[in-house]
Amino acid sequence: MKICMIDQMYQDSLAICNRSHLPVKITFDIELPLRKCIEVIPKNGFVQAKSDFSTQVKFFPRRALLEADATYFDKNTGVFQAPIKVKVDNQVKCLEFVVHAVVATSELDFSESSIDFAHCTIYETVRKTIKITNKSLLPQEFGFIKLPDFINILPSDGFGILLPLEAVDIDILFSPSKATHYDFNLNCKTAFSKQFKIHCCGDASKPLMTISPCRIQLSSTSLYDANTALIYIRYPKDTTVSPKTAGEGDSGGKHHPVSYAFALPSTSPLTVQPVVDTLYPGEEKQIHLRFQPTLCETDIKKCAADMINRKREEQRLFRKAELSAQIKTAEVVQASSKKTPKRKGSSTKRASANRLASPKTATPDVPSTPVDPADISIDSKDYSTAKLLLLRNAKTFATVYTIPCFLAEGDMLSATQPEHDEKSTLYLEVECTATKPDLAVISDAGASCINYGQVALGQRCLKRVVLENISESVLMLKASQLDPLGPFCLLNALHPLQPAETIQLVVEFTPTTKQLFLETLRVQTASSSLAITLRGQGIQPILEVSLGDSALEMGTIMVGETISKTFQLKNVFALPVDYTIKLGSTTCERQFRSGPCAINYNGSNAFDCVPRGGCISPESETNITVRYSPDHVSDHYADMAQIEIFGIQEVHRVQLYGAAAAHSMYIKGGEHFPMPTYEPSIALVSNPQPGEKSILLILNAESIANKPCSASLVIGCIQITTATQKKMGEFVVDGTAAAIAEGFSIDPVKGTVDAGMEKELVVSWSPSAETQVKKAEISITLKGDVTELYRVLLVAIKQE
């Protein structure tokens, strides 16, 4: 039957041959489930001797039967196979044949079953796009019939043919003529009499305000220039707002303000001022529209990447050609050396020739990886060069922008912000044309920004920018007025510029105050203008510290020893800088005594900086040596080095940290005893013995979902410069069985620590539903220059 549609009638003929010399009776036997969709006419008959019997097989695929019984129909492939038997009198074996067909649906799939045109004004046309997909394996004709007057369907007025499994987009245009609610159905009918309905609704309203003109065509504007236009937004006196914003004595809703707000696309070169404002009945507002076209940043980056890739490829081909020439020369030299007798020094020439002719040297360069346009920086020289190239080859292009203007009943400055009324949205259509500019900056790879950088106060700095006439006419130049009290000044005059001629502008920058300066110098022609941004900063000399995080960690050393580390101070300015280093422990000694250790027990500073002051030449650096000499055990040695320039201004603060231990092996972390107990429920399991040290390690777990918690101790080994020093230390954790029974886990339980290194000991605990506090005690034995024993009290608390 080939391909058949559901709920459509199909038929085919079947011939049965009788090869015997006697007539026979035949009967068609169709299985009971198939009798509703397959019919054989006639169902029985006689086949004459040596003759044929023709019959008709009708197939009517029904959807209910195909979905209910999977014996004869494969839903995945759509293949239908129905076996039919033919019973022959006086013949034991029945004849069998199969009705085979590919059943296809007659449905059309619409991407939208209902369309909401939302709110629009009576002056607008709303476009909605839907997709129609032919699910059948056969072509289908379709058409939208009995359309209302305010609906238009594109293309071909809603008529067409869909090929098998084809999908097309249909545009439905809604153009209301009255301010009312619309609710209607669109009827789509196919050639197989299948009908589909799409429910549509929408609201049309008359806006509270009007924009004049609502469509603007700006004059041609060159790239990186600006063009402005004026529009007016009016609030007619006869317009009535909704009663919900009217007062008690004004039920009609008149004489109440209405606010507007323009919503510009983020990538649009248009700006509107004012964007938001409020009008009263009878008022009119002037709106300034500004158009400033620029080159697309993506196109500039793509052009820059293409230029870099092309340059790399040219260099690779040049190296390849140069290498090939060297190889040919070497081969000629080698061939001539075989014919001539050996001379003194000829072995050296042959060796060099063999090296040039070797396969390794002759291998051409592999092409480099192309540059990704996204990796191009907008501040790079390649970006500026590509921008200049695109400006020279720029072409005129026009664009139409549609800007929505949202309206809200009420005053924007009132205490209660008005709500946006979607029914009264206005639209402004702007047609813009961008053209090629007359002038282009060719100096500094086309950069239109002169950055003087950081200049010392009172210092005079000159910068030059070169402009080129890239148009085909003579340009009369005129410069805008700079701030007469500002630091920038144009030193040379302007003259007429011939096509392809260049002119150099000299601009002076002399800062008098410590601040950032920014001005715009505009060079104007008859049809366009070029903006040059002037930027500079007046500063005082500063220093740079080589420490990235302004902190210097001295590490852990033994009591009585001294360690030194250095950092650099660099003068990045063009003038000599005098500096002074002051320690915080000497300027605010009381503060450092109450906090971390900065003063030794003998009254001396644990930290010292050498030298404490000096002078650094321009673009030079000096080394500052920090010496750390602790005289007692502590993990919290700290001080602060304050760096000042000219003895007045503080420019940097360097935090100094260190720790000291009595022996080569040490433990950091937790709370070391003796110390007061913060909670009465937390106490040592047993009193420490002489020579032992105690540490309290608290693990806090969350009660939610009984999440496991962990805490850690750091075991370190100090590197001692003595002959008897071991290269590494050892540690062993004892008493873990009792801790494990309480739910604790310790990793690792033993190990070694190399000199000058540290290793982390992690203690974990998984809380149970009924347990709030768990305690356990373990011991840690450290084996370094001496053997020490630490008793660690583990306390796990589940927070409520």
Side-chain angles (χ1 to χ4, degrees):
M1 294 289 184
K2 298 183 180 179
I3 301 177
C4 303
M5 284 280 195
I6 294 179
D7 297 332
Q8 301 293 324
M9 176 67 73
Y10 299 88
Q11 66 179 12
D12 200 354
S13 60
L14 177 69
I16 298 178
C17 300
N18 183 6
R19 294 179 295 180
S20 65
H21 298 281
L22 298 174
V24 294
K25 181 181 179 181
I26 60 174
T27 302
F28 292 91
D29 184 14
I30 303 175
E31 297 183 11
L32 184 61
L34 300 174
R35 292 178 183 177
K36 294 183 179 181
C37 62
I38 296 180
E39 182 181 4
V40 180
I41 300 176
K43 295 183 178 179
N44 49 45
F46 288 89
V47 184
Q48 300 300 324
K50 300 295 183 178
S51 181
D52 297 338
F53 181 82
S54 180
T55 182
Q56 295 291 323
V57 180
K58 293 185 177 181
F59 178 47
F60 189 82
R62 302 178 185 273
R63 184 183 302 274
L65 177 64
L66 298 177
E67 293 179 353
D69 195 347
T71 305
Y72 311 103
F73 179 67
D74 189 348
K75 296 181 180 180
N76 297 326
T77 61
V79 176
F80 177 84
Q81 293 180 338
I84 298 178
K85 295 182 180 180
V86 182
K87 296 181 179 180
V88 183
D89 289 351
N90 301 325
Q91 184 173 329
V92 178
K93 186 177 180 180
C94 299
L95 299 179
E96 293 184 359
F97 67 92
V98 178
V99 177
H100 185 280
V102 177
V103 181
T105 180
S106 60
E107 298 290 334
L108 294 180
D109 182 50
F110 292 82
S111 60
E112 301 289 342
S113 60
S114 63
I115 298 176
D116 185 5
F117 292 100
H119 299 283
C120 65
T121 65
I122 58 176
Y123 308 114
E124 301 174 47
T125 297
V126 180
R127 179 193 299 265
K128 292 289 185 179
T129 301
I130 64 173
K131 180 174 289 186
I132 304 179
T133 305
N134 182 12
K135 295 293 186 179
S136 176
L137 299 177
L138 296 175
Q140 293 197 76
E141 297 181 7
F142 72 94
F144 288 87
I145 58 176
K146 299 180 180 180
L147 296 176
D149 296 337
F150 49 83
I151 289 294
N152 188 19
I153 298 180
L154 299 177
S156 303
D157 295 329
F159 290 86
I161 300 177
L162 287 174
L163 298 179
L165 304 179
E166 183 186 9
V168 296
D169 289 333
I170 301 296
D171 292 331
I172 302 177
L173 306 181
F174 175 57
S175 304
S177 57
K178 297 180 181 180
T180 184
H181 176 72
Y182 291 83
D183 195 331
F184 56 94
N185 292 325
L186 296 179
N187 298 319
C188 180
K189 195 172 183 180
T190 65
F192 293 100
S193 299
K194 292 286 287 187
Q195 192 165 355
F196 305 91
K197 290 186 177 181
I198 301 176
H199 178 261
C200 301
C201 63
D203 292 296
S205 63
K206 186 177 180 180
L208 299 175
M209 294 184 179
T210 60
I211 294 180
S212 177
C214 61
R215 186 177 184 275
I216 299 176
Q217 185 174 6
L218 295 174
S219 59
S220 299
T221 308
S222 62
L223 291 172
Y224 296 95
D225 197 0
N227 195 356
T228 59
L230 294 178
I231 60 176
Y232 296 89
I233 184 167
R234 297 182 178 91
Y235 183 8
K237 290 183 178 180
D238 57 349
T239 304
T240 303
V241 300
S242 61
K244 66 181 180 179
T245 58
E248 295 181 358
D250 188 9
S251 59
K254 295 184 179 180
H255 310 298
H256 285 272
V258 175
S259 301
Y260 71 88
F262 287 94
L264 294 170
S266 58
T267 58
S268 170
L270 295 171
T271 57
V272 174
Q273 290 294 336
V275 179
V276 180
D277 205 347
T278 301
L279 297 181
Y280 285 83
E283 282 190 345
E284 180 181 84
K285 190 71 176 180
Q286 189 180 71
I287 307 296
H288 294 266
L289 179 69
R290 180 183 176 88
F291 172 58
Q292 187 174 11
T294 59
L295 293 173
C296 179
E297 183 176 334
T298 304
D299 295 340
I300 299 176
K301 290 185 176 182
K302 185 177 182 302
C303 179
D306 293 342
M307 292 172 59
I308 296 175
N309 295 331
R310 193 182 306 111
K311 183 177 180 180
R312 290 181 179 179
E313 182 65 17
E314 291 175 356
Q315 291 176 352
R316 187 185 70 85
L317 295 177
F318 176 77
R319 290 195 303 267
K320 182 178 179 181
E322 186 179 25
L323 183 61
S324 300
Q326 293 178 359
I327 293 175
K328 290 181 180 179
T329 303
E331 290 176 351
V332 172
V333 173
Q334 189 175 8
S336 61
S337 62
K338 292 180 180 180
K339 297 178 180 180
T340 58
K342 294 183 180 180
R343 298 179 181 177
K344 187 176 181 180
S346 61
S347 59
T348 304
K349 295 182 180 180
R350 284 197 302 271
S352 61
N354 292 333
R355 285 195 300 269
L356 289 173
S358 62
K360 182 177 180 181
T361 308
T363 303
D365 294 341
V366 179
S368 59
T369 304
V371 177
D372 188 1
D375 298 334
I376 302 296
S377 174
I378 60 176
D379 298 328
S380 63
K381 186 176 181 180
D382 296 321
Y383 182 91
S384 301
T385 304
K387 178 181 174 181
L388 178 60
L389 178 62
L390 292 179
L391 280 178
R392 291 179 180 274
N393 301 316
K395 296 181 179 179
T396 302
F397 63 92
T399 311
V400 178
Y401 297 94
T402 301
I403 305 173
C405 177
F406 301 107
L407 303 181
E409 301 172 5
D411 192 348
M412 296 296 295
L413 301 179
S414 62
T416 303
Q417 289 293 329
E419 296 181 0
H420 160 56
D421 185 7
E422 296 182 358
K423 298 181 181 180
S424 301
T425 302
L426 305 176
Y427 290 91
L428 175 64
E429 186 176 296
V430 183
E431 183 177 349
C432 312
T433 302
T435 60
K436 177 182 175 181
D438 295 332
L439 288 174
V441 180
I442 62 174
S443 60
D444 197 17
S448 60
C449 178
I450 302 178
N451 190 357
Y452 292 87
Q454 298 175 343
V455 180
L457 301 184
Q459 185 179 2
R460 183 169 178 261
C461 183
L462 299 179
K463 291 281 187 178
R464 292 170 173 81
V465 58
V466 180
L467 307 182
E468 181 183 355
N469 181 4
I470 59 176
S471 67
E472 298 179 355
S473 59
V474 180
L475 300 179
M476 303 299 294
L477 304 182
K478 180 181 178 181
S480 62
Q481 182 68 38
L482 294 173
D483 184 5
L485 301 179
F488 299 102
C489 180
L490 179 62
L491 301 182
N492 61 323
L494 304 179
H495 58 80
L497 204 60
Q498 299 294 328
E501 188 182 357
T502 62
I503 185 174
Q504 185 181 73
L505 304 182
V506 182
V507 184
E508 178 190 41
F509 175 55
T510 307
T512 56
T513 58
K514 182 183 176 182
Q515 67 179 60
L516 182 66
F517 297 93
L518 182 67
E519 283 193 57
T520 300
L521 173 64
R522 286 192 172 275
V523 181
Q524 302 171 350
T525 65
S527 59
S528 65
S529 64
L530 175 65
I532 301 175
T533 303
L534 308 177
R535 180 181 310 202
Q537 185 178 10
I539 64 166
Q540 293 180 353
I542 58 174
L543 296 178
E544 287 186 354
V545 180
S546 61
L547 301 175
D549 54 356
S550 297
L552 183 61
E553 177 64 49
M554 304 300 294
T556 304
I557 65 174
M558 293 185 65
V559 174
E561 290 192 349
T562 301
I563 188 174
S564 298
K565 289 188 178 181
T566 61
F567 65 91
Q568 289 76 37
L569 288 180
K570 185 177 181 180
N571 178 14
V572 296
F573 202 61
L575 297 174
V577 176
D578 296 333
Y579 72 94
T580 305
I581 300 178
K582 298 180 181 179
L583 293 177
S585 56
T586 59
T587 58
C588 47
E589 182 177 343
R590 182 176 301 176
Q591 173 186 350
F592 275 85
R593 285 187 182 275
S594 62
C597 300
I599 306 297
N600 287 324
Y601 287 163
N602 59 12
S604 63
N605 290 334
F607 299 92
D608 191 16
C609 296
V610 179
R612 289 287 189 93
C615 181
I616 306 178
S617 302
E619 300 297 332
S620 300
E621 63 181 24
T622 184
N623 293 329
I624 305 299
T625 302
V626 180
R627 296 176 182 175
Y628 172 49
S629 303
D631 67 348
H632 61 275
V633 176
S634 176
D635 292 339
H636 306 289
Y637 277 95
D639 206 338
M640 180 177 61
Q642 303 172 357
I643 304 174
E644 299 178 353
I645 59 173
F646 302 114
I648 303 174
Q649 181 183 1
E650 181 181 315
V651 292
H652 289 289
R653 286 190 175 188
V654 178
Q655 299 291 337
L656 307 176
Y657 299 102
H663 302 286
S664 61
M665 293 288 290
Y666 61 90
I667 296 180
K668 293 195 298 186
E671 301 293 343
H672 290 248
F673 283 89
M675 62 173 294
T677 303
Y678 294 103
E679 299 183 19
S681 59
I682 301 176
L684 290 174
V685 177
S686 58
N687 295 325
Q689 300 298 325
E692 296 180 353
K693 299 178 182 179
S694 299
I695 299 176
L696 173 63
L697 187 63
I698 300 177
L699 294 83
N700 294 315
E702 298 180 0
S703 59
I704 302 175
N706 293 325
K707 293 183 179 179
C709 59
S710 63
S712 62
L713 298 173
V714 177
I715 301 176
C717 180
I718 301 174
Q719 187 171 3
I720 308 174
T721 58
T722 60
T724 59
Q725 177 201 3
K726 295 182 178 180
K727 294 183 178 181
M728 63 180 64
E730 301 178 3
F731 68 91
V732 179
V733 182
D734 298 320
T736 58
I740 293 174
E742 296 295 337
F744 295 94
S745 62
I746 298 97
D747 182 42
V749 296
K750 64 178 180 178
T752 59
V753 183
D754 293 336
M757 304 298 291
E758 293 180 343
K759 183 170 292 187
E760 187 178 24
L761 179 69
V762 180
V763 180
S764 304
W765 180 64
S766 299
S768 58
E770 65 280 357
T771 303
Q772 296 296 329
V773 179
K774 280 291 185 180
K775 296 186 292 184
E777 184 180 6
I778 61 174
S779 61
I780 303 177
T781 304
L782 303 182
K783 297 180 180 180
D785 55 346
V786 297
T787 300
E788 293 182 288
L789 179 62
Y790 286 82
R791 299 173 65 187
V792 182
L793 173 62
L794 307 178
V795 179
I797 304 174
K798 187 164 76 170
Q799 303 288 343
E800 294 296 337

